[in-house]
Amino acid sequence: MAKDLDLITIGRSSVDLYGAQVGGRLEDMRSFEKYVGGSPTNMATGTARLGLRSALLTKVGDEHMGRFLREELVKEGVDVTGVLTDPERLTALVLLGIRDEEQFPLIFYRENCADMALSADDVDEGFIARARAVVATGTHLSNPRTEAAVLKALELARKHGAQTALDIDYRPNLWGLSGHGDGENRFIASEAVTAKLQSTLHLFDLIVGTEEEFHIAGGTTDTVAALRAVRQVSGATLVCKRGAAGAVAFTGEIPDGLDTGETGEGFPIEVFNVLGAGDGFMSGLLKGWLDGEDWPTALKYANACGAFAVSRHGCTPAYPTWEELQFFLSRGVREKALRKDPELEQLHWSTTRKGDWNDIRVFAFDHRSQMEEMEGATPERIGAFKDLCLQAAAAKATGQGGHGILCDGRLGKRALYAAAGQGLWIGRPVEWPGSRPLRLEPQVGEDCGGLKEWPADHVVKCLCFPHPQDDAAMWEEQIATLRRLFQSCRRNGLEFLLEVIPSKVGPVDETTTPAVIQRIYDAGIYPDWWKLEPFRTEAAWAASCEAIERNDKRTRGIVVLGLDAPEAELRESFALAVRFPLVKGFAVGRTIFGQAARDWFAGRLDDAGAVARMKDNYARLCHIWDEARASVGKAAE
């Protein structure tokens, strides 16, 4: 059978609720960030980010947290064939906090949880046969049912020529050795745990653990003696993690000292959060191991991935992509607190964004002042009309990818919230309509604090009117607002779309928009998306695209706005724009809804008629866009 997976990890899968405040007790946390968690789940994600074809064998609950884990794994590129749903049990939860460099309180909510219901019957031979390696963790050896599942998977891995690895991952309270409040404890001696581990160690080609974890596996707190005890029952390569002293690999007999094993390059960085660092380390190690690298190289990858983990908030979110790792290894450490390195953080953000939006057609009905000016419009009726706009967009999209909406949260709140879960790209404006200098909607707040309430899949859209001829005061005020907004987007994990229309405030030529773009990048602002007016010349498009790519090679791209142009003009502008790969689609509003809105507010059109007309208009624009893209593709053949 073809090996279409590099590895399958087995075991814990939980939702990590990470205290957002740092430096206090878990009792004092006011809010929590929600992340993917559980050692095998972290490793599946970490290795997928490094380019390995990863899969996970576990169970989650038939509820919101189980669906969250499954959806996040799919977004990360992890194969979820083996992520099974338990209809009776809840997904595991973990509460975690960062108190200081040495204290990281955590509470495991794992009483009869879904992943501990994994049994031998859940291990499918065909699934295991697909993998080059099977990776287990120690926790699932602590219960007879999950142990049987792990042993069956290891047996099948051997049968089908796969390698096997163990992350000892010793958590004493998950073995029943201490209470719920002792989740931070990493070592309690236990002859029973040692015996259980030693009964399985011969099944592995690679065994990884901290010194304390080898102490439990070897049955002694003398690290060299513990490694020798493990060696007596296993011929595996042993990788011992030593904290700040790095890690060491032993492929043969254990020498008298730890310093004589094989080591990899280490990285002097600030320790901010050790939780999940071992899973990051293991992800890098597995990448090197499965790529056939020598142990110094594999350990270098592991040490670097561990460095990222200890310097950032959260476990899985901290792990690097392959592109990020290569950049870091090439450039080196510039800021010991890696999360404060702007260049590295921009690369991390741009290479871990979720979703494929290389072709996008957006129905924009985020208009506020334009609708408020229409005869018969009231805030209540505008909200009702925006419900119809969403119906029209969804009727055209029919669940297919590549469609989206722009909708505001003040007049269109009901439609905005109803759009969740429909597979649409969702953009949401923050600017006060027509403001110059830029001001933000009261719901957002001048400090941008309102973004904390936004769902993770809402894209922050901001329209402003900068011009190269603006005086210094105007530029300073607009840039200051944009910078606050951009920084808040990053803090809240939200993508940022910036729309600039300099033609509304001054004369323009082919250099105008590129000059605006450069000035924004010079201010340290990196929009994920740009929304630009439809240029009339190829040179204008070329100059704007070059300005963006010169500053950010990983931008999501550009969407073209409509400016209430008739379809014939949009056809021409689309035909020109699609020649540039950076242009990913359009975001058009009044051309789609304008006349329908006027007729509906005036009572000349009913709900069904408005939806039908807007759906047809939107569908025609999508067809015009698709034709334009197809023509470019044919010309390139």
Side-chain angles (χ1 to χ4, degrees):
M1 183 175 182
K3 299 284 188 181
D4 64 331
L5 293 173
D6 290 311
L7 73 156
I8 297 172
T9 63
I10 306 173
R12 287 192 288 133
S13 190
S14 62
V15 173
D16 283 355
L17 297 177
Y18 246 93
Q21 293 74 48
V22 176
R25 303 178 307 161
L26 198 55
E27 294 91 328
D28 303 320
M29 298 299 168
R30 302 191 310 276
S31 58
F32 294 83
E33 301 288 346
K34 180 168 59 114
Y35 303 137
V36 165
S39 182
T41 308
N42 288 340
M43 287 189 286
T45 304
T47 51
R49 285 189 176 181
L50 295 174
L52 293 179
R53 300 164 298 173
S54 305
L56 174 66
L57 178 56
T58 191
K59 278 190 168 181
V60 298
D62 187 16
E63 23 75 350
H64 312 76
M65 295 299 101
R67 290 192 292 274
F68 165 75
L69 288 174
R70 188 185 303 276
E71 291 174 8
E72 287 298 301
L73 289 167
V74 169
K75 291 175 184 176
E76 293 283 1
V78 176
D79 185 307
V80 295
T81 303
V83 179
L84 310 175
T85 300
D86 188 317
E88 299 177 0
R89 297 170 178 83
L90 293 173
T91 304
L93 298 176
V94 185
L95 298 183
L96 313 92
I98 303 173
R99 182 161 184 176
D100 55 36
E101 291 183 8
E102 297 180 354
Q103 298 180 82
F104 303 91
L106 68 160
I107 304 170
F108 293 99
Y109 285 76
R110 297 186 51 79
E111 189 70 29
N112 196 29
C113 65
D115 70 53
M116 290 303 289
L118 191 71
S119 70
D121 290 340
D122 298 317
V123 181
D124 177 73
E125 181 170 359
F127 178 56
I128 299 297
R130 294 170 54 194
R132 294 171 52 214
V134 169
V135 182
T137 57
T139 302
H140 266 50
L141 299 173
S142 66
N143 176 281
R145 177 168 51 197
T146 54
E147 180 190 20
V150 171
L151 294 179
K152 180 178 177 181
L154 294 172
E155 177 186 348
L156 291 171
R158 294 285 192 182
K159 175 181 176 181
H160 291 279
Q163 298 185 89
T164 56
L166 172 69
D167 187 330
I168 300 171
D169 186 38
Y170 181 45
R171 304 283 185 164
N173 70 334
L174 298 184
W175 285 81
L177 300 179
S178 60
H180 294 306
D182 195 36
E184 190 177 359
N185 192 330
R186 296 303 180 98
F187 182 77
I188 295 176
S190 167
E191 292 182 2
V193 174
T194 298
K196 176 60 65 177
L197 289 174
Q198 290 202 356
S199 72
T200 66
L201 296 181
H202 65 284
L203 299 173
F204 297 99
D205 301 303
L206 172 65
I207 299 173
V208 181
T210 62
E211 290 193 56
E212 292 82 4
E213 288 169 340
F214 274 107
H215 293 169
I216 193 67
T220 172
T221 55
D222 181 318
T223 303
V224 171
L227 288 166
R228 285 175 172 166
V230 171
R231 174 60 73 229
Q232 287 179 357
V233 295
S234 174
T237 295
L238 308 182
V239 174
C240 183
K241 297 179 287 185
R242 305 176 63 199
V248 58
F250 300 100
T251 57
E253 294 300 312
I254 307 301
D256 293 334
L258 298 181
D259 295 330
T260 55
E262 295 187 72
T263 61
E265 179 184 354
F267 303 92
I269 49 87
E270 176 209 59
V271 175
F272 174 68
N273 171 31
V274 300
L275 299 173
D279 301 333
F281 176 96
M282 190 70 171
S283 297
L285 189 73
L286 290 169
K287 170 66 175 175
W289 183 51
L290 291 173
D291 280 359
E293 303 287 359
D294 58 26
W295 286 112
T297 301
L299 288 167
K300 178 175 68 173
Y301 291 171
N303 290 336
C305 291
F308 279 107
V310 300
S311 189
R312 289 172 171 160
H313 193 267
C315 301
T316 293
Y319 302 154
T321 60
W322 179 244
E323 182 178 357
E324 183 184 359
L325 177 61
Q326 292 302 296
F327 172 83
F328 177 71
L329 294 176
S330 174
R331 194 208 63 176
V333 177
R334 290 187 179 175
E335 163 61 66
K336 288 188 176 182
L338 300 185
R339 69 192 179 283
K340 297 179 181 179
D341 183 324
E343 189 175 19
L344 200 57
E345 285 299 284
Q346 171 61 21
L347 181 57
H348 181 68
W349 169 264
S350 62
T351 57
T352 57
R353 284 180 302 222
K354 309 298 189 298
D356 179 6
W357 298 106
N358 278 322
D359 187 17
I360 184 167
R361 312 158 193 84
V362 177
F363 179 5
F365 50 91
D366 58 324
H367 305 67
R368 287 143 288 165
S369 59
Q370 296 93 333
M371 288 190 183
E372 289 170 324
E373 294 167 358
M374 292 183 179
E375 180 185 353
T378 64
E380 294 75 18
R381 296 201 75 208
I382 292 172
F385 181 75
K386 293 195 176 202
D387 293 344
L388 303 179
C389 292
L390 174 61
Q391 291 179 36
K396 163 61 182 78
T398 60
Q400 302 175 64
H403 295 82
I405 63 167
L406 277 170
C407 181
D408 67 289
R410 175 160 53 92
L411 297 172
K413 180 170 67 174
R414 190 168 56 239
L416 182 71
Y417 292 175
Q422 296 196 40
L424 296 167
W425 180 97
I426 301 173
R428 181 173 172 182
V430 295
E431 77 282 349
W432 185 256
S435 60
R436 180 174 145 86
L438 173 66
R439 289 188 297 118
L440 303 179
E441 282 266 11
Q443 292 177 320
V444 176
E446 289 302 318
D447 65 350
C448 307
L451 296 186
K452 185 177 181 180
E453 300 175 3
W454 286 30
D457 62 347
H458 284 195
V459 175
V460 177
K461 171 257 177 183
C462 182
L463 165 61
C464 64
F465 303 96
H467 196 281
Q469 295 177 3
D470 287 340
D471 61 30
M474 175 65 76
W475 268 108
E476 182 178 352
E477 186 166 352
Q478 299 217 110
I479 286 293
T481 302
L482 287 174
R483 186 182 288 115
R484 286 197 305 276
L485 182 61
F486 169 68
Q487 291 171 346
S488 182
C489 288
R490 290 298 175 83
R491 282 196 304 274
N492 289 286
L494 299 169
E495 292 190 27
F496 178 36
L497 181 152
L498 181 57
E499 178 179 4
V500 294
I501 312 181
S503 67
K504 293 290 186 181
V505 294
V508 297
D509 58 24
E510 294 167 351
T511 67
T512 305
T513 298
V516 168
I517 290 169
Q518 186 59 55
R519 194 145 183 178
I520 289 167
Y521 279 124
D522 288 344
I525 299 166
Y526 287 78
D528 300 278
W529 295 91
W530 290 90
K531 187 180 179 191
L532 303 179
E533 51 193 311
F535 303 124
R536 295 185 178 276
T537 68
E538 188 170 339
W541 272 117
S544 293
C545 290
E546 193 278 331
I548 294 171
E549 292 180 313
R550 180 175 65 247
N551 290 279
D552 184 5
K553 298 184 185 303
R554 300 168 192 86
T555 180
R556 286 284 202 183
I558 301 168
V559 291
V560 187
L561 57 94
L563 292 177
D564 201 18
E567 284 186 10
E569 287 187 22
L570 287 178
R571 184 184 296 274
E572 292 180 10
S573 66
F574 287 176
L576 184 58
V578 295
R579 299 178 191 175
F580 297 88
L582 198 61
V583 181
K584 306 300 183 184
F586 65 80
V588 173
R590 284 170 291 174
T591 306
I592 298 172
F593 74 74
Q595 190 58 50
R598 287 185 285 271
D599 289 344
W600 187 85
F601 285 126
R604 297 188 294 269
L605 189 65
D606 64 13
D607 291 359
V611 171
R613 186 185 298 181
M614 291 188 292
K615 175 191 172 185
D616 289 344
N617 291 345
Y618 182 32
R620 280 199 308 277
L621 275 187
C622 291
H623 181 67
I624 291 170
W625 176 261
D626 292 341
E627 279 190 328
R629 293 204 78 164
S631 67
V632 171
K634 289 179 181 179
E637 292 177 357

